[in-house]
Each structure stands twice: as structure tokens, then as C-alpha cells.
Amino acid sequence: MSATPQKNRASRRVLAAAAGLATVGALVAAMPAGAHDRGHGHGHGHGHGHKPRTVDVQLLSFNDLHGNLEPPAGSAGTVNKTHADGTVEAIPAGGVEYLATSLRTARKGNPYSVTAAGGDMVGASPLLSGLFHDEPTIEALNKLNLDVSAVGNHEFDEGATELARLQNGGCHPVEGCYEKGKKFKGADFPYLAANVTKEKTGKPLLKPYTIWKKNGVKIGFIGVTLEGTPDIVTANGVKGLKFHDEVKTINKYAKELDRKGVKSIVALIHEGGAPASTSYNYDCDSPGAGDGISGPIVDIAKGITPKVDALVTGHTHQAYVCTVPDPSGKPRMVTSAASFGKLYTDTTLTYDLRTKDIVRTSVKSANHVVTRDQPKATDMTRLIDRWNKLAAPIANRPQGWISADINGRGSTAPEKPLGNVIADAQLEGLAPADKGGAEVAFMNPGGIRADLVYQASGSEGDGVVTYGEAFTVQPFTNMMNVVDLTGAQLVAALQQQVSGPNEAAPKILQVSKGLTYTLDLTKTGAARVVTDSIKLNGEAIDPARTYRVAMNEFLAGGGDGFPALGQGTNKLVGASDLDLFNAYLAAHSTAAAPLAPPATDRITVVQ
């Protein structure tokens, strides 16, 4: 998902040092035998001593884990299932202890099994992983026997150098090694970035593809992130890099693989779509192939050469198993497994040993829930416990109290209760003259990574918001900016929520108290924002007047398709978004008087 990327971790470095976490040493990432090193082939066909013509290759895939090692809390930790009678059930799902069990169970009896991921394995991660620059997640993925992953936009949150460290290992350049006597080993699996090149040399940043081999079976994997990655990552994260068209890149490398004799090809694409239903078991091929899915992946799928046999996708955090016709009109499987390790996709690729190609007509695929009623993988429990011990001095510190769930990520409404809390926290922290004199604050919805959940996550007690929980909501530690914008630029920014690059999938800014307007979804484009309804503290916005506007540095750079917000002048850099959020919780809640979910009455929606 698009989100505020992380740039400055200074405040966390201080905390980490204070807690004595930056110890010498590093991780030992376990290197178990790959899933594809087990057993012998079986296939279709009969007869004594006759080699079968085909073998079934099991492709297990998932996407958008975002460092969620522990089960995600609240609505972020459920998947919807529609039953035959039309009722919808929310099933608790996710957590790497259960994901490991699910994948290991699925591999049993499948000698040809390969596990692939669609990007955003790290970045925007909860404290348990984010505090340690996502080393715990890479270690967990190694233990999961992940064979290959595409990069996603969040793999670039901390820039190309940090991405290279996650791939190749070595301790963090500033914070060093986290565990005494242990050096971080990096990913056992290749990260693929076929459409990302270095500006200076034009060469690929990482490997464009990899070839998985087993007993004469060869499958090529090409990995790409969305071409629009620079629009949703801070400038620092993508400095010196160029991002290319997904279709052209995949077609180029599919041709190269074909020349090398690799006829079976899977594309891992960190870009996705939106099915017509949020239920994971929705049939998006009803009534026809791909009829129930929309979004960027549809056109991408239609443009990718028929040489590619299946597409594993991500980015939109949606669940789907669809067939979308390739350029020759033949159906081809396109899958996505929601997010946070709540689902995995099991795809059967029937491999013809004579042609070395996948028999496309027999490709079968289904999403499966990573339920929490199965045994936990003990090696993952040990990993989580080890890192939790290191994180505990910071993670368990209480920041405030809430009286009920305050939904952010889990809210599907344009205006989210937690979005209001965050925007109000930013306004309050930056309104004093010496802090920037802010009159209004904007928060991008993709930067709200979780809900604030009333139920205790540990031993802190119900209603207590810990530092770890606040960090999970705002994991980027983005520095806040206060800038001058004219009323005309303010109006333009609100229109950009529903026009330009955001027209197809609106990004509704969360606004601080005092700003009100009407969003008319019966109209199209910029006209959806009713301009004469926009008021600040009851007064119409004056196009010629200058306003002091607070927002994180990502939005202030014009990120997420808001060029108007990038036109600010007279910039003052304030505290981090997380510090302001925690300060607000402390100022507005006590055990006796907890913070209640705020009303959502700032944006009037006409549908």
C-alpha cells in the first residue's frame, strides 16, 4: 500500500541507545535446506519404468508481510469469508508462527515446491521488526525457506544501500549489531528488481531474475516493483535510481530467459488490483475471466508476453485468484494473498518435461487462510521471544489510554477515527508560534498502518497504549514540516485526492479539527470536492490568503500524488510524527479518563 515512508530514525536511535539495545554482535540467520531440496519427482502418466511426461510444481506465494511477525491486532488481523448463505465471517489470521506451520504443512507430499513473495516483506513494520531495521523479518523469511521475492516500494524506504544490506548482510552502519557476537547474515533468498536501475550506470540495482532448478525442472522468476514507486517513497529512498515500465521490463527478461532455454516463467509484480468483494473466497472470474477485478494489474496482465505462465502480485493488500487474458487471448493466473501473512496462495503449475513449459490450461490456484487454531512453529516462537526481549524496554512503555478501539487501517470510510486523532496531534504539536504556527494538519491515509486496539497486546492491561502499539500505527518516524500554502493551493490539494493519479483510487487526506468540506462521490474527478463547502473554523477558504499547514515530510515533498502540497514555502521542520502522536496521547488521556474514539464529522460524504 502506498504509505509514508520512513526517513529519519534519530529519535529511535536515541531511545535504542538509552535502552542499551545497540550491542555489539548481530543475527545469525538460520539457513535450513530449501523446500526444493527434498524428495523425488512424481508426475502424471502411468506404466512401469516410464518417465512421466509432466510433474506438478507447487508454487506457494504471499505478499505485503510488512514485518508482521506477531499476529496483527484488531481488524488488521482478520480476513473475510463469504458463506453460501451470504453471511460474512471475519476470521482471525496471520502471524509468522502460523504462516510457517501453514507453508510447511502445504509442502508435505509435494517434492517440487517453490515459495515466492510479491514484495513489501519489510518496511512500515511493527516495532518488533522496525526497531531493528527489519533484520528479524529477514531472519524469519530465511527460516520459512522463502526461495525468491520481488522488491516492493517499501523495500526502498531506507534507500538502496540499506536494501543491499538486507540482501547481503552486515551490521547496521549507524546502530551496529544488535546481538553480542552475532553478525546479520542477510537474506538467503534473492530479492529481484528487474525494473530498477542505477541512474549513473544504467545497470540493474539487484538481480532481474533467478532460475529455480530441481531434477531437470527449471522455472524462471522475474521480479518488478511498481513503476510509480518514486511517487510513494521519500526522495532519499529512491535517490540515484530509475524505475521502468513493468510490462516492457518483464517482456524483455522473459525473452532473455526463453533464449536461455527457460520456457516456464513466473512474474512477481509488486502492483495489484481491487476485487469487487473483500472476501478472500470471492470468485473474481464470475461471470467471465477477470470480470470481478479492476486496477493497474489488469492492464499490466494483458500486456505481458504469453511466455510468462503466472503472475504473483501485491501492493493493494487485496485477496484474489483470477484469470486475466494474456495478449494472445488465453487465460492466465493472477494472484494476491492480502497482506500481513494472513493468507498464502497455493498454485499448481503442471510442468511438461518434454517442452520444458507449463501446461497453462491445467494451472490451478487457491488462497488459504493462515488460521490461528493450528500449532505454532516453535522456531518462530523462539525468534519472536528473542527479539521481544531486546525490544521490551522500549516497546512496553505506556503512552496513553483509550476507552475503545480507534480504527485507522481497519476503517474503510474516507474519514477514519484514528486519522482524526493523528491529524489533531500534529496540529496541536505544531500550532504554537515557535513550533511552526500551524493552522491545519493533513495526514496521508496510507501512513496509518494499524488500528489502536483496546484489548491488551501483552501484560499492560486493556486500554493501555504502549510505545510498541503507537509505533505500529506510525512506524516511519517521519519528521513533520510546517509550510506556507495559499488557499488556492489548499483547495488544489483537496482536489488532488480524487483526480490525477488518485482519480481511480482516491486517497482521502485525514484532516485536523476545524477543517470541513463535502465530498460528492456521485461526481467525477476534481469536481467531487465541493469547493464552496471547504471551511476552516467556519470560514470559507480565501484563495489569496496564506495558511500555515502541517504535514509529514513525505506529503510536504508532494508524495502520494499531491504536487500542490509540495509547493509549500517558508518550511519549518518539527518533531517526528510518532513523537507528536505519543505526546497527544499523554496529554489527552489518563487511566481514569481514557481517550474515546472521536466523531467523524469533518468530511461530509455524498454517495
Side-chain angles (χ1 to χ4, degrees):
M1 273 314 226
S2 118
T4 324
Q6 169 174 320
K7 183 171 161 194
N8 188 318
R9 299 207 183 213
S11 61
R12 298 208 343 258
R13 285 193 196 117
V14 172
L15 283 165
L21 294 180
T23 52
V24 182
L27 293 179
V28 174
M31 288 183 68
H36 48 280
D37 292 330
R38 304 188 195 109
H40 300 286
H42 73 284
H44 301 270
H46 304 282
H48 299 284
H50 292 301
K51 196 176 176 189
R53 170 79 189 258
T54 62
V55 294
D56 280 348
V57 177
Q58 177 190 53
L59 170 61
L60 300 175
S61 57
F62 57 98
N63 51 278
D64 296 276
L65 181 65
H66 291 288
N68 277 266
L69 300 180
E70 295 177 294
S75 58
T78 61
V79 292
N80 288 341
K81 178 179 184 176
T82 301
H83 293 282
D85 64 359
T87 57
V88 178
E89 178 190 4
I91 305 168
V96 80
E97 295 156 297
Y98 303 113
L99 180 61
T101 299
S102 287
L103 294 177
R104 288 164 186 171
T105 303
R107 287 175 190 142
K108 283 176 187 159
N110 288 286
Y112 292 89
S113 185
V114 56
T115 305
D120 277 7
M121 294 296 98
V122 300
S125 306
L127 186 86
L128 176 63
S129 187
L131 188 65
F132 306 106
H133 295 274
D134 282 311
E135 289 179 22
T137 296
I138 297 295
E139 185 187 353
L141 293 171
N142 289 342
K143 285 181 186 291
L144 275 180
N145 292 353
L146 183 62
D147 290 294
V148 56
S149 180
V151 294
N153 53 291
H154 282 280
E155 264 80 16
F156 293 93
D157 281 353
E158 293 189 56
T161 308
E162 175 63 3
L163 174 54
R165 185 183 79 86
L166 290 180
Q167 177 72 85
N168 302 319
C171 297
H172 192 270
V174 176
E175 291 171 28
C177 304
Y178 294 113
E179 293 181 295
K180 202 171 179 181
K182 289 184 182 179
K183 189 177 167 198
F184 175 56
K185 288 179 60 187
D188 290 348
F189 55 91
Y191 258 125
L192 305 180
N195 66 331
V196 186
T197 55
K198 297 173 188 170
E199 264 174 8
K200 276 185 184 159
T201 63
K203 291 192 170 139
L205 175 69
L206 295 168
K207 282 172 70 164
Y209 60 79
T210 191
I211 302 166
W212 178 87
K213 297 174 185 165
K214 171 88 188 274
N215 294 348
V217 171
K218 287 194 289 195
I219 298 179
F221 287 88
I222 303 168
V224 297
T225 184
L226 68 152
E227 187 183 4
T229 291
D231 304 328
I232 52 176
V233 172
T234 50
N236 270 10
V238 294
K239 205 172 176 181
L241 301 176
K242 215 162 180 218
F243 292 77
H244 303 272
D245 181 85
E246 304 95 339
V247 174
K248 284 180 188 160
T249 304
I250 291 168
N251 290 351
K252 170 184 155 183
Y253 286 112
K255 204 180 267 182
E256 193 172 307
L257 282 164
D258 189 49
R259 279 202 303 270
K260 287 186 173 184
V262 179
K263 308 292 182 190
S264 298
I265 303 171
V266 175
L268 308 174
I269 308 172
H270 191 70
E271 178 62 292
S277 162
T278 58
S279 289
Y280 86 92
N281 60 333
Y282 167 68
D283 178 8
C284 56
D285 279 351
S286 173
D291 281 352
I293 186 169
S294 59
I297 199 61
V298 177
D299 285 340
I300 289 171
K302 285 176 179 172
I304 289 172
T305 171
K307 291 185 200 301
V308 175
D309 299 295
L311 315 183
V312 171
T313 73
H315 188 56
T316 56
H317 292 204
Q318 302 294 314
Y320 48 84
V321 172
C322 301
T323 54
V324 176
D326 71 12
S328 72
K330 292 198 178 107
R332 178 169 52 194
M333 196 60 78
V334 180
T335 69
S336 172
S339 64
F340 300 171
K342 293 180 289 189
L343 296 175
Y344 71 92
T345 313
D346 188 338
T347 302
T348 302
L349 302 171
T350 301
Y351 185 93
D352 188 317
L353 293 163
R354 204 180 305 165
T355 65
K356 297 183 168 33
D357 206 349
I358 301 297
V359 184
R360 282 256 299 270
T361 50
S362 64
V363 175
K364 295 188 293 290
S365 195
N367 274 329
H368 300 278
V369 182
V370 176
T371 59
R372 297 185 198 165
D373 56 4
Q374 58 186 323
K376 294 179 179 182
T378 53
D379 57 338
M380 294 299 179
T381 306
R382 284 195 299 273
L383 180 149
I384 287 168
D385 289 349
R386 217 178 79 233
W387 287 102
N388 263 332
K389 218 163 270 171
L390 282 177
I394 290 176
N396 299 337
R397 203 176 294 157
Q399 302 298 312
W401 290 263
I402 56 174
S403 64
D405 288 1
I406 304 180
N407 281 348
R409 197 74 182 181
S411 166
T412 54
E415 181 184 349
K416 304 167 194 314
L418 190 51
N420 287 356
V421 172
I422 291 168
D424 288 353
Q426 294 175 353
L427 177 62
E428 185 169 295
L430 301 170
D434 61 337
K435 298 282 194 266
E439 299 168 83
V440 64
F442 290 136
M443 174 64 195
N444 56 312
I448 306 166
R449 304 304 301 184
D451 302 333
L452 276 187
V453 178
Y454 178 77
Q455 189 181 348
S457 59
S459 57
E460 76 275 11
D462 289 348
V464 179
V465 179
T466 63
Y467 184 88
E469 290 164 343
F471 181 99
T472 299
V473 169
Q474 293 255 270
F476 299 109
T477 319
N478 253 322
M479 303 315 288
M480 291 299 300
N481 291 180
V482 186
V483 298
D484 283 351
L485 286 172
T486 64
Q489 288 167 326
L490 262 187
V491 171
L494 292 174
Q495 290 172 329
Q496 283 160 6
Q497 301 176 110
V498 288
S499 63
N502 294 329
E503 177 153 10
K507 287 196 180 91
I508 306 303
L509 295 165
Q510 305 301 287
V511 299
S512 55
K513 63 174 182 279
L515 187 75
T516 54
Y517 70 95
T518 297
L519 189 63
D520 187 347
L521 297 179
T522 64
K523 299 202 163 92
T524 55
R528 291 170 178 166
V529 173
V530 182
T531 46
D532 59 9
S533 72
I534 307 170
K535 294 194 168 114
L536 183 60
N537 302 321
E539 286 182 23
I541 295 287
D542 178 353
R545 196 196 131 189
T546 297
Y547 295 85
R548 292 293 281 163
V549 184
M551 64 194 104
N552 58 49
E553 61 197 335
F554 169 60
L555 277 180
D560 256 357
F562 290 100
L565 296 181
Q567 294 165 357
T569 56
N570 195 16
K571 178 167 83 175
L572 184 139
V573 178
S576 77
D577 51 8
L578 180 61
D579 287 348
L580 292 181
F581 184 48
N582 283 331
Y584 186 85
L585 290 171
H588 292 272
S589 68
T590 62
L595 183 70
T600 49
D601 54 5
R602 300 169 190 183
I603 306 171
T604 303
V605 182
V606 178
Q607 284 178 315

